């Protein structure tokens, strides 16, 4: 696979799961990686592993739902690492359960992280990505949005999560059309059940439903989705992978 030496990537939600694995794989391919999330201790641990493997990592403690912090995460990356070739909008929360009787603060959290956070980071990053595409040896830059199977298939019990991830899909295709001729590739990754901390934030009764639904499914590992992102960002300049839906084999 092609190397990413000389490029700079910013990964949101890099303190665990898919974001952590993606940051590590990008760094292993030679990209300098900025790691953004709220849990600085977890980011420090990821950065230490990347550095001990010979890579470059920058820790940025940021809550992407605060626009000033999202902008500052992007600007800090460019100030410290010199440019921005790749943004992976991965930060997300999944709080499932029926619409009727739902604690609507869970809806607020999902809309703010999954949609607004992704929009703020994209808005701040795209001018830098356009610049990187025009002045880098690769001649291309990447914005990868992590959506979900839930961005393609609505289900009873995940209505608002569905709404946020369908929104990510719609925004991604619109932005793709806007910037693709400037050689910024906008890609959408839609993972199925992946073994991370994500579902652990649900209420106990919701957790039970999720566990029952996936009890016979061998989940994807975070590394599988990181590998998918790596595939996307290492394609040649003329090839843009618009969308990849990746499920565990046993997920119906
Ligand atoms: P994790 O819970 O392990 O990771 C979520 C990441 O998002 C954490 O690093 C967390 O960091 C970060 N995050 C949450 N809120 C904020 C915030 N306000 N500001 C900055 N960062 C934030 O779950 P996954 O790795 O599974 O999730 C990553 C993405 O993958 C999400 O978008 C999710 O919807 C998507 N996905 C996951 C699937 C799965 O089955 N696991 C399936 C389909 C899609 P911190 O708490 O430190 O801020």
């Amino acid at each position: 696979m092609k190397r990413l030496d000389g490029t700079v990537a910013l990964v949101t939600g890099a303190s665990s799961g898919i974001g952590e694995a993606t940051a590590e794989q990008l760094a292993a391919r030679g990209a300098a990686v900025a790691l953004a999330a709220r849990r600085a201790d977890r980011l420090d641990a990821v950065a230490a592993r990347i550095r001990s493997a010979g890579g470059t990592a920058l820790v940025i403690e940021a809550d992407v739902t605060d626009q000033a912090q999202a902008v500052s995460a992007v600007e800090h990356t460019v100030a410290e690492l010199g440019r921005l070739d790749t943004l992976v909008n991965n930060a997300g929360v999944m709080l499932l359960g029926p619409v009727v009787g739902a604690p609507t603060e869970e809806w607020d959290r999902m809309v703010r992280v999954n949609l607004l956070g992704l929009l703020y980071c994209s808005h701040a990053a795209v001018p830098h990505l356009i610049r990187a595409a025009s002045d880098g040896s690769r001649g291309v830059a990447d914005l990868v949005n992590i959506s979900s199977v839930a961005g393609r298939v609505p289900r009873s019990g995940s209505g608002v999560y569905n709404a946020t991830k369908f929104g990510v899909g719609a925004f991604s295709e619109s932005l793709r059309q806007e910037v693709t001729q400037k050689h910024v590739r906008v890609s959408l990754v839609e993972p199925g059940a992946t073994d991370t901390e994500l579902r652990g934030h649900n209420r106990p009764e919701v957790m039970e439903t999720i566990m029952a639904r996936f009890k016979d499914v061998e989940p994807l590992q975070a590394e599988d989705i990181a590998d998918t992102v790596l595939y996307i960002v290492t394609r040649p300049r003329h090839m843009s992978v618009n969308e990849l839906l990746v499920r565990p084999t046993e997920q119906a």
Side-chain angles (χ1 to χ4, degrees):
M1 198 187 269
K2 270 181 64 183
R3 300 270 314 166
L4 295 168
D5 299 287
T7 71
V8 173
L10 168 60
V11 181
T12 70
S15 58
S16 61
I18 292 169
E20 175 179 0
T22 300
E24 290 204 51
Q25 288 202 25
L26 287 166
R29 294 276 162 203
V33 182
L35 315 166
R38 294 165 305 173
R39 290 172 294 174
D41 54 333
R42 296 281 295 261
L43 294 176
D44 285 338
V46 180
R49 276 205 309 281
I50 288 174
R51 289 177 193 131
S52 70
T56 300
L58 173 69
V59 166
I60 303 176
E61 185 178 344
D63 180 339
V64 295
T65 67
D66 176 339
Q67 187 172 13
Q69 292 186 45
V71 170
S72 142
V74 170
E75 296 305 330
H76 191 48
T77 302
V78 175
E80 291 291 321
L81 301 175
R83 52 189 294 120
L84 183 65
D85 299 88
T86 306
L87 170 65
V88 183
N89 273 316
N90 162 80
V93 285
M94 177 190 77
L95 302 167
L96 304 183
V99 169
V100 175
T104 55
E105 70 79 28
E106 292 188 346
W107 298 359
D108 295 348
R109 279 169 64 198
M110 284 191 285
V111 170
R112 291 175 64 215
V113 181
N114 301 0
L115 272 177
L116 273 179
L118 178 144
L119 299 180
Y120 294 149
C121 291
S122 301
H123 182 255
V126 166
H128 294 292
L129 295 174
I130 291 173
R131 202 164 306 126
S134 68
D135 73 5
S137 57
R138 290 196 320 149
V140 75
D142 287 288
L143 194 163
V144 182
N145 288 331
I146 308 298
S147 175
S148 170
V149 169
R152 289 277 296 261
V153 185
R155 290 182 70 92
S156 172
S158 63
V160 179
Y161 186 62
N162 285 137
T164 63
K165 294 300 191 180
F166 269 73
V168 169
F171 173 71
S172 300
E173 174 55 17
S174 171
L175 182 61
R176 187 193 69 75
Q177 292 173 24
E178 183 178 328
V179 297
T180 195
Q181 284 166 337
K182 295 188 167 71
H183 293 100
V184 176
R185 302 182 291 203
V186 178
S187 305
L188 190 65
V189 177
E190 296 155 319
T194 308
D195 186 14
T196 68
E197 298 171 15
L198 189 77
R199 53 174 74 162
H201 303 294
N202 283 282
R203 286 169 279 136
E205 67 274 22
V206 175
M207 269 300 273
E208 259 175 47
T209 313
I210 299 173
M211 299 307 276
R213 178 172 171 227
F214 289 104
K215 73 177 179 359
D216 296 324
V217 174
E218 180 187 346
L220 297 168
Q221 296 301 311
E223 291 70 23
D224 298 323
I225 301 304
D227 191 36
T228 304
V229 175
L230 257 285
Y231 173 78
I232 289 171
V233 303
T234 53
R235 291 311 88 202
R237 181 176 188 258
H238 67 275
M239 175 179 170
S240 174
V241 180
N242 298 165
E243 186 173 358
L244 281 175
L245 175 63
V246 184
R247 287 187 178 93
T249 304
E250 292 161 336
Q251 181 174 339

